[in-house]
Amino acid sequence: MKNVSCFELYPSILDAEKVNRLLLEVFPFMHTSLNDDGGLDMYITKEEYVFVLNELLKLNNYALTMPDSFEEVNVTLTSLPIECAIVERYSVLYDLMFEAEYVSKEVDKNTMVSDKEMDKKYSEYLIGKKFSQAFDIGEEYQEYLIKVSKGI
């Protein structure tokens, strides 16, 4: 057994499986698992959790600038619905993430978790699909993420 950082999320809006799929689309290297109680366990550090929130906040802020109707903006009829769908798909995650609760959890040795706080090897780092170039995380970890994400 090993002791790890974990955020437990019991989504009230969507089911845990759907939330897990959405999170992994945006953060493909996040380690998650569905638990027996109908919730989702995210094996990430507090710093990585803040990173996820900041990235989702960017989408949420973008959603707030979306026009209520097509007449308010000069766009083609095809581009706006696609943008709306993309934003709506992920901005709901931002609200849901505030329902997550941090716990220290014991898991078996085969459970994949972020190892950011262990030995500083960063072999199982968390990275998003980068909504921007700025990462709101520690400088050393930021440099590492930029280095290893080249070519992704």
Side-chain angles (χ1 to χ4, degrees):
M1 299 295 275
K2 58 185 175 181
N3 203 278
V4 299
S5 294
C6 178
F7 283 87
E8 290 181 334
L9 178 60
Y10 296 89
S12 59
I13 302 171
L14 301 173
D15 64 271
E17 215 168 296
K18 173 97 173 181
V19 171
N20 192 35
R21 273 198 313 274
L22 291 174
L23 274 173
L24 293 177
E25 283 178 19
V26 189
F27 305 100
F29 294 108
M30 182 187 288
H31 297 296
T32 63
S33 69
L34 298 172
N35 63 35
D36 297 334
D37 301 327
L40 174 68
D41 291 335
M42 297 174 285
Y43 300 109
I44 58 177
T45 64
K46 289 181 181 179
E47 192 174 29
E48 289 168 325
Y49 176 78
V50 170
F51 169 71
V52 170
L53 274 181
N54 284 330
E55 292 297 279
L56 292 174
L57 175 65
K58 293 169 193 169
L59 274 178
N60 197 57
N61 287 341
Y62 181 67
L64 296 176
T65 66
M66 300 291 282
D68 291 331
S69 64
F70 296 115
E71 293 80 26
E72 293 179 31
V73 67
N74 185 18
V75 293
T76 65
L77 289 177
T78 55
S79 68
L80 188 61
I82 292 169
E83 281 186 345
C84 285
I86 291 169
V87 169
E88 282 176 17
R89 184 180 177 94
Y90 298 117
S91 65
V92 67
L93 288 177
Y94 177 69
D95 295 328
L96 285 173
M97 288 299 279
F98 286 101
E99 297 179 24
E101 188 173 327
Y102 178 79
V103 295
S104 196
K105 186 171 261 194
E106 278 203 351
V107 294
D108 63 48
K109 291 179 179 166
N110 297 322
T111 304
M112 293 294 286
V113 301
S114 168
D115 70 352
K116 183 182 177 316
E117 59 194 357
M118 292 181 255
D119 302 324
K120 303 290 183 198
K121 292 178 186 170
Y122 308 123
S123 62
E124 298 297 345
Y125 60 91
L126 169 81
I127 189 167
K129 298 255 181 172
K130 293 193 284 184
F131 307 133
S132 75
Q133 292 299 310
F135 296 100
D136 298 306
I137 53 178
E139 189 176 329
E140 180 186 79
Y141 194 41
Q142 176 180 330
E143 288 170 10
Y144 176 79
L145 287 174
I146 291 169
K147 182 177 132 197
V148 297
S149 64
K150 285 191 175 26
I152 291 181

